[in-house]
Amino acid sequence: LGILAYTGSGSALAEVELTMEPEGQKQGSQLVVAKSGGWAGFLLWRSVYITKQVALRNRVLVLFDWIQAKAFGRDISAV
């Protein structure tokens, strides 16, 4: 589990907890906290967001919306 926060303008913050089991030891796992920000956190945030979509149709629609927004900008004509 962890924390993800989108901060806008292609950046995000991520803090993820990982459990690592040292080789040769059968007991005692080690907890590692990985922190990331900026572009790497943004990619992690987007990958988690897209995998949380249940239907394949939703995943495709979200991906195409991201691509369209990157290529042509946001549509603000309805505002």
Side-chain angles (χ1 to χ4, degrees):
L1 298 176
I3 300 169
L4 296 171
Y6 177 65
T7 57
S9 299
S11 66
L13 301 172
E15 183 177 293
V16 182
E17 296 177 358
L18 306 168
T19 55
M20 307 285 279
E21 293 184 16
E23 290 185 33
Q25 292 183 359
K26 295 186 179 185
Q27 295 178 348
S29 61
Q30 181 180 3
L31 181 65
V32 177
V33 177
K35 295 181 181 180
S36 177
W39 202 69
F42 180 67
L43 288 177
L44 180 63
W45 183 86
R46 283 225 166 157
S47 64
V48 169
Y49 187 87
I50 209 70
T51 56
K52 290 288 188 174
Q53 301 299 314
V54 177
L56 179 63
R57 178 179 184 268
N58 289 344
R59 290 180 185 182
V60 171
L61 288 174
V62 168
L63 283 173
F64 278 128
D65 183 55
W66 287 345
I67 292 168
Q68 180 184 9
K70 192 69 170 170
F72 303 111
R74 287 277 167 210
D75 180 19
I76 59 169
S77 62
V79 176

